Amino acid sequence: MMYVLATTNAGEVLKVPMFVEHFMEYHGSFSEFVMEHYDNHKQDSDWDTDQKLPFINPPIVLTVHAQLPELSFEIKKPKEITVSKKSSIYKEKDFSNQYLSQIFQPPRLS
């Protein structure tokens, strides 16, 4: 927990009471307070107090640079598959004509 608070912006949450206290002393609306202190704040009489506000000077201890890999894909046209007609094992010329007169005959190619 101590490491997370010290090396990330989570520690800035601990400065919220200072933010509330400084806003209570401010004479103006909340939006004016935020604009004055967080939008190009210039040095003034309460500069030291302003520097203790959350997210004014966040700690830059740990910087992580991540880059997503470039994703690309292409759809390739499928190759034509040709199926050659294989000849069957049976060849009519291998059989004699004696079977033609019988009821049971070997299969024929059409």
Side-chain angles (χ1 to χ4, degrees):
M1 182 70 167
M2 293 294 286
Y3 178 76
V4 170
L5 291 176
T7 59
T8 66
N9 288 343
E12 296 294 308
V13 176
L14 300 175
K15 296 181 182 179
V16 170
M18 175 61 75
F19 179 85
V20 173
E21 181 181 328
H22 195 54
F23 173 66
M24 297 304 247
E25 296 170 356
Y26 184 74
H27 301 292
S29 68
F30 180 75
S31 60
E32 290 172 351
F33 174 78
V34 172
M35 290 296 289
E36 182 179 325
H37 289 87
Y38 289 95
D39 185 30
N40 296 326
H41 185 57
K42 301 197 176 34
Q43 196 165 1
D44 55 3
S45 60
D46 63 344
W47 179 257
D48 293 334
T49 308
D50 294 343
Q51 293 305 304
K52 295 177 186 174
L53 292 174
F55 302 105
I56 291 287
N57 296 319
I60 304 175
V61 177
L62 180 64
T63 303
V64 176
H65 176 73
Q67 183 176 2
L68 295 175
E70 184 177 323
L71 299 175
S72 64
F73 65 93
E74 69 180 69
I75 299 174
K76 295 182 180 179
K77 183 178 177 182
K79 295 180 181 178
E80 283 189 32
I81 300 173
T82 56
V83 179
S84 61
K85 185 176 178 182
K86 294 183 180 179
S87 60
S88 66
I89 298 173
Y90 166 75
K91 292 184 180 175
E92 260 186 77
K93 64 182 181 180
D94 292 341
F95 296 97
S96 68
N97 290 338
Q98 293 175 352
Y99 294 102
L100 295 176
S101 62
Q102 297 179 1
I103 296 176
F104 298 106
Q105 297 180 6
R108 296 182 183 191
L109 293 175
S110 51

